[in-house]
């Protein structure tokens, strides 16, 4: 039978070995900790902006062929659709007409140069021929750029320049290598210029977008780790927002996932935990040591928190400050050392003894 002890003022709960066995007390050593894990937060998987493209119809027309569908891999420059566009014929015709006029002007310039050297024509006529050739060369370049804006690839323009053969079929190319996330149209649909056809994304790396309550931002900084608890992978924080979202009073924290991104899909919600620095410093500015213990080691009395540290003849009652609560553990600050042994079971009986129970 234990003797009653005075309440919190007691420094030691006296217990012999037999009483410790009766209380079924287990001990564990505290682990040094300089960071804590947050509670679990939902996070949405998103594609980084720089890796996402919307493919739109460069000209109005009728969608003749769709060559890929949602979920397919594409390579940069691959033809993913074909559009029949009467407007394209007109643009090509103007380009070919410009080419023909430029060729005639270049032939005329070559003749005038020869005649001017022989003294047959005046220099003014040669200058007029040079000005006309430059004007037409500029016009052809402008019409070439119009073909590029219309969606023709460099190889298509080169083929048109060589063959002078007009076509109303406009091939649409993938701007990047990636996966087709969404198909927004169907074959035979009438399209206006700039109507979206596909969304294509490169899926490595990916982003996690996490709304963290504004009161839980302490210790979070760019570069901290973010752990995906079910997927068994991790990423790093790349941005911490400055705006508090009114709907949930959360701040957007964005992390980048490079390893294990193949397990994730855009739009998916996952559970994450964030690693946060303890953010506690002593009066001289030095970082204060934190200790990680199982949650069962803590004893609360009013607003104060304590642990029981094994000592000769019993257990010392040590006040601690709770710095963070994790899944099954806590991070505390207090008078602990790496070689201490802390009670993690039987603590209810220890508390009763400490507060004056039997």
């Amino acid at each position: 039978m234990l003797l009653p002890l005075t309440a919190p003022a007691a420094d030691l709960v006296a217990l012999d070995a037999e009483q410790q066995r009766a209380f079924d007390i287990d001990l564990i050593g505290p682990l040094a900790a300089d960071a804590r894990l947050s509670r679990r937060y939902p996070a949405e998987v998103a594609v980084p902006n720089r890796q996402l493209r919307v493919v739109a119809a460069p000209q109005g027309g009728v969608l003749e062929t769709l060559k890929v569908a949602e979920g397919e891999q594409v390579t940069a420059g691959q033809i993913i659709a074909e559009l029949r566009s009467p407007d394209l014929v007109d643009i090509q015709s103007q380009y070919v007409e410009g080419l023909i006029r430029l060729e005639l002007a270049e032939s005329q310039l070559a003749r005038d140069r020869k005649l001017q050297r022989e003294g047959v024509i005046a220099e003014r006529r040669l200058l007029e021929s040079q000005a006309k050739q430059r004007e037409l060369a500029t016009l052809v370049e402008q019409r070439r750029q119009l073909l590029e804006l219309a969606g023709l690839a460099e190889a298509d323009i080169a083929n048109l320049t060589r063959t002078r053969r007009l076509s109303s079929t406009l091939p649409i190319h993938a701007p990047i290598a990636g996966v087709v996330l969404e198909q927004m149209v169907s074959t035979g649909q009438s399209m206006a210029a700039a109507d979206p056809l596909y969304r294509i994304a490169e899926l490595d790396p990916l982003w996690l977008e996490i709304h963290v309550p504004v009161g839980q931002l302490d210790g979070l900084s760019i570069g901290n780790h973010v752990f995906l608890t079910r997927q068994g992978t991790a990423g790093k924080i790349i941005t911490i927002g400055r705006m508090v979202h009114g709907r949930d009073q959360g701040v957007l924290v964005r992390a980048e996932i490079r390893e294990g991104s193949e397990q994730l899909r855009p739009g998916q919600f996952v559970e994450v935990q964030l690693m946060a620095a303890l953010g506690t410093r002593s009066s001289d500015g030095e970082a204060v040591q934190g200790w990680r213990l199982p949650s069962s080691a803590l004893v609360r009395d009013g607003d104060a928190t304590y642990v029981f540290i094994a000592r000769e003849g019993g257990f010392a009652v040590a006040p601690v400050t709770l710095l963070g609560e994790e899944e099954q553990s806590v991070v505390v600050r207090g008078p602990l050392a790496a070689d201490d042994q802390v009670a993690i079971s039987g603590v209810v009986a220890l508390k009763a003894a400490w507060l004056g129970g039997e």
Side-chain angles (χ1 to χ4, degrees):
M1 183 79 65
L2 291 176
L3 296 177
L5 297 174
T6 54
D11 294 328
L12 188 74
V13 179
L15 251 69
D16 58 29
E18 181 179 347
Q19 290 172 320
Q20 292 186 33
R21 286 193 295 272
F23 282 2
D24 195 22
I25 295 173
D26 292 323
L27 304 175
I28 196 171
L31 298 175
D34 57 5
R36 61 178 174 84
L37 278 174
S38 72
R39 67 176 178 84
R40 298 190 184 201
Y41 293 109
E44 184 176 5
V45 181
V47 179
N49 293 338
R50 62 183 179 274
Q51 296 168 208
L52 183 64
R53 299 288 187 278
V54 174
V55 182
Q59 293 287 316
V62 176
L63 197 56
E64 192 171 64
T65 308
L66 291 172
K67 295 183 176 292
V68 296
E70 181 178 328
E72 290 190 43
Q73 293 273 353
V74 296
T75 58
Q78 177 182 339
I79 296 176
I80 57 176
E82 290 181 341
L83 186 72
R84 187 167 293 278
S85 172
D87 295 339
L88 180 64
V89 176
D90 184 51
I91 298 173
Q92 292 177 93
S93 177
Q94 293 179 31
Y95 174 69
V96 171
E97 178 188 352
L99 283 176
I100 294 171
R101 292 174 60 192
L102 176 60
E103 289 172 354
L104 291 174
E106 288 175 342
S107 298
Q108 182 65 47
L109 177 59
R111 286 195 300 270
D112 287 351
R113 280 174 176 161
K114 180 179 179 182
L115 294 174
Q116 202 275 334
R117 284 196 300 268
E118 295 173 352
V120 176
I121 62 172
E123 184 178 4
R124 179 180 177 180
R125 179 173 165 182
L126 175 62
L127 294 175
E128 289 175 349
S129 297
Q130 289 175 336
K132 186 173 183 62
Q133 186 273 338
R134 285 195 295 268
E135 179 185 351
L136 288 171
T138 301
L139 179 65
V140 167
E141 181 58 30
Q142 290 174 346
R143 291 177 176 176
R144 179 186 181 89
Q145 291 177 17
L146 288 175
L147 288 174
E148 292 176 355
L149 292 174
L152 282 185
E154 192 69 31
D156 298 325
I157 297 175
N159 184 61
L160 175 62
T161 303
R162 185 179 64 257
T163 64
R164 313 291 167 90
R165 182 176 297 172
L166 308 183
S167 172
S168 63
T169 299
L170 175 62
I172 299 174
H173 302 266
I176 60 172
V179 175
V180 178
L181 289 186
E182 184 180 2
Q183 175 184 314
M184 307 175 185
V185 291
S186 56
T187 302
Q189 187 171 330
S190 180
M191 308 295 298
D195 281 352
L197 308 178
Y198 292 106
R199 282 200 309 143
I200 298 176
E202 182 185 348
L203 300 183
D204 185 25
L206 289 171
W207 281 349
L208 294 177
E209 295 188 340
I210 313 148
H211 277 221
V212 178
V214 66
Q216 301 296 319
L217 291 175
D218 289 346
L220 292 183
S221 60
I222 292 173
N224 283 15
H225 281 88
V226 173
F227 299 96
L228 287 81
T229 51
R230 293 185 179 178
Q231 286 75 16
T233 187
K236 289 187 177 181
I237 295 175
I238 58 172
T239 58
I240 298 175
R242 299 294 300 172
M243 185 181 79
V244 177
H245 293 251
R247 183 177 57 185
D248 57 8
Q249 287 296 291
V251 173
L252 178 63
V253 175
R254 182 177 290 116
E256 186 175 74
I257 301 294
R258 291 188 174 273
E259 295 184 9
S261 60
E262 68 279 355
Q263 303 177 54
L264 305 174
R265 288 174 170 79
Q268 177 184 2
F269 279 89
V270 295
E271 284 188 338
V272 300
Q273 289 180 279
L274 296 87
M275 183 68 76
L278 296 182
T280 307
R281 295 192 173 274
S282 62
S283 57
D284 59 2
E286 294 295 323
V288 174
Q289 179 65 63
W291 300 98
R292 182 171 281 108
L293 290 167
S295 302
S296 59
L298 294 189
V299 172
R300 290 179 171 83
D301 181 45
D303 293 332
T305 306
Y306 302 88
V307 296
F308 294 103
I309 306 174
R311 295 287 186 256
E312 185 177 353
F315 286 86
V317 183
V320 295
T321 301
L322 183 63
L323 301 179
E325 296 186 69
E326 302 174 342
E327 288 290 295
Q328 297 180 348
S329 60
V330 291
V331 178
V332 299
R333 173 169 56 90
L336 293 167
D339 56 354
D340 282 337
Q341 292 291 299
V342 178
I344 60 171
S345 64
V347 293
V348 174
L350 283 172
K351 178 181 179 182
W354 174 45
L355 296 178
E358 294 187 3

